[in-house]
Amino acid sequence: DAGVTQSPTHLIKTRGQHVTLRCSPISGHKSVSWYQQVLGQGPQFIFQYYEKEERGRGNFPDRFSARQFPNYSSELNVNALLLGDSALYLCASSVQVDGYTFGSGTRLTVV
Amino acid sequence: GEDVEQSLFLSVREGDSSVINCTYTDSSSTYLYWYKQEPGAGLQLLTYIFSNMDMKQDQRLTVLLNKKDKHLSLRIADTQTGDSAIYFCAEPRYSGGGADGLTFGKGTHLIIQP
């Protein structure tokens, strides 16, 4: 059984561009959450989606948005990229809203 | 506040026990978690403990929970070079609709000396 898969694994973007990151949860998991991990820090919560509805939002600007599809996969979108958005973006899935399994992440570099 | 506190570094000799400490913030947390992150990798769930337990043992790992002091610890017995990683303590974060994610500490870098 596949774990949480994220794509792409690495990405380089220019300031001002927009980016879309993708996540496929473990089969049967209906909840997906997104985290940003800046180098040297712990992951910071961005969003959680459950059954395609936003359940929670962390302290991130409106440039960050997400959605969840009928198959429970999810996309994280970031507009108007800043250098400070460079980070490892982690996706986690769970059956309900606890018991989180993380993917390997997408490393985003903004230049 | 919402800060989960951990020491940044711990250095131990191979074969000794490692004890990583964490102070969390929310006394209503139902679960508390320990995650491991190796260089360049995602997060691996090591273990978790229910809030109605004081201790949980899983092979070389022992988790101790002191709810009164909001203190969580992870003990790794017979520490090996493969245990070298960053260890994160995490608690659920709650909004009006219930738990909606995790709050992590900054992580403890476990360094193994030969």
Side-chain angles (χ1 to χ4, degrees):
Chain A
D1 193 17
V4 178
T5 57
Q6 293 187 241
S7 63
T9 54
H10 295 83
L11 201 51
I12 300 175
K13 289 285 191 178
T14 304
R15 275 178 297 175
Q17 286 188 314
H18 122 274
V19 69
T20 298
L21 309 180
R22 295 179 175 84
C23 172
S24 292
I26 291 172
S27 178
H29 286 198
K30 298 181 179 180
S31 176
V32 170
S33 49
W34 288 94
Y35 295 79
Q36 180 196 64
Q37 187 180 19
V38 173
L39 196 62
Q41 301 291 318
Q44 295 289 313
F45 173 77
I46 310 176
F47 288 109
Q48 182 175 73
Y49 277 77
Y50 178 68
E51 289 276 18
K52 295 162 283 180
E53 298 278 330
E54 183 183 299
R55 286 289 299 266
R57 171 187 279 259
N59 189 22
F60 280 81
D62 291 345
R63 299 184 296 108
F64 288 75
S65 64
R67 54 181 176 166
Q68 187 176 31
F69 298 99
N71 66 353
Y72 303 111
S73 67
S74 178
E75 284 182 353
L76 175 70
N77 294 285
V78 187
N79 291 325
L81 285 165
L82 304 174
L83 295 179
D85 296 329
S86 295
L88 179 68
Y89 288 84
L90 294 162
C91 172
S93 78
S94 60
V95 175
Q96 293 180 8
V97 292
D98 47 25
Y100 303 91
T101 302
F102 282 81
S104 298
T106 294
R107 186 161 298 281
L108 173 66
T109 303
V110 182
V111 297
Chain B
E2 295 189 359
D3 289 346
V4 175
E5 301 283 347
Q6 297 180 242
S7 301
L8 291 183
F9 294 95
L10 176 65
S11 179
V12 299
R13 292 167 74 163
E14 191 174 359
D16 287 352
S17 291
S18 306
V19 179
I20 302 170
N21 294 302
C22 168
T23 303
Y24 62 96
T25 62
D26 191 339
S27 58
S28 63
S29 292
T30 51
Y31 303 82
L32 293 151
Y33 302 88
W34 284 104
Y35 281 87
K36 176 182 180 182
Q37 187 175 40
E38 297 185 62
L43 297 174
Q44 173 196 352
L45 178 64
L46 270 184
T47 187
Y48 61 91
I49 188 168
F50 292 99
S51 59
N52 63 357
M53 298 170 67
D54 297 324
M55 185 181 86
K56 178 180 179 182
Q57 188 148 5
D58 183 2
Q59 300 182 343
R60 291 191 298 122
L61 305 178
T62 303
V63 179
L64 295 178
L65 175 59
N66 179 332
K67 286 187 67 176
K68 176 176 168 290
D69 295 336
K70 297 182 193 170
H71 185 264
L72 185 71
S73 69
L74 173 69
R75 177 178 181 269
I76 305 172
D78 186 25
T79 309
Q80 303 297 309
T81 55
D83 296 323
S84 180
I86 304 174
Y87 291 81
F88 292 96
C89 168
E91 64 174 340
R93 42 166 283 146
Y94 294 95
S95 63
D100 68 0
L102 295 175
T103 299
F104 287 85
K106 285 185 167 57
T108 299
H109 294 241
L110 179 60
I111 299 162
I112 315 301
Q113 301 170 33

